Amino acid sequence: MHIQIYDRVCCRPSDAKKLADFLASKASESDNVEFYDLNDSAISEVIVPGYVVSHIANSKQLPILCVDGRIVAIGIMPNLLDAIDILNGNPVNAKRNITLSDVQDVTTDCC
């Protein structure tokens, strides 16, 4: 399983990063969990899938959780119990296509 989480980390700890760390700690050796801070200039070498770039350009909602090349959560991450379902290959119960009022301030890149 290939899990990617994209977020912009600025003035607060990232819940998405915590989720990535949790998933990595529970993942099997065949699973791959990656976290990308889009404010980190070091990720300029990382190839970001076109569907993620398109989503960020059009709506700016972060964080984004992708599992095996498919966006499964936008703007809010699943809780830790639902995250275990991800690793077990079960459907994800995270909110998708949430309204802008559900997200912190998506019009700015940072706090």
Side-chain angles (χ1 to χ4, degrees):
M1 180 169 303
H2 188 206
I3 299 170
Q4 298 169 304
I5 300 176
Y6 301 87
D7 197 9
R8 279 198 180 92
V9 180
C10 55
C11 62
R12 65 194 179 291
S14 169
D15 289 337
K17 172 69 170 129
K18 291 176 190 176
L19 178 64
D21 292 343
F22 174 78
L23 287 169
S25 73
K26 302 296 183 192
S28 70
E29 288 184 20
S30 63
D31 294 328
N32 184 17
V33 179
E34 302 168 347
F35 175 81
Y36 298 106
D37 177 357
L38 299 178
N39 282 338
D40 184 355
S41 61
I43 70 163
S44 63
E45 307 262 333
V46 174
I47 297 172
V48 179
Y51 61 89
V52 173
V53 173
S54 176
H55 169 77
I56 293 169
N58 291 325
S59 74
K60 299 184 182 180
Q61 290 179 326
L62 292 171
I64 299 171
L65 170 64
C66 300
V67 178
D68 293 333
R70 187 173 62 91
I71 295 177
V72 297
I74 299 169
I76 189 167
M77 296 289 98
N79 64 42
L80 297 181
L81 291 175
D82 289 337
I84 295 296
D85 281 342
I86 293 171
L87 291 175
N88 291 329
N90 297 326
V92 180
N93 293 321
K95 289 173 85 174
R96 292 195 60 183
N97 301 322
I98 61 176
T99 63
L100 294 178
S101 63
D102 289 336
V103 182
Q104 271 188 301
D105 182 2
V106 297
T107 61
T108 62
D109 288 342
C110 206
C111 305

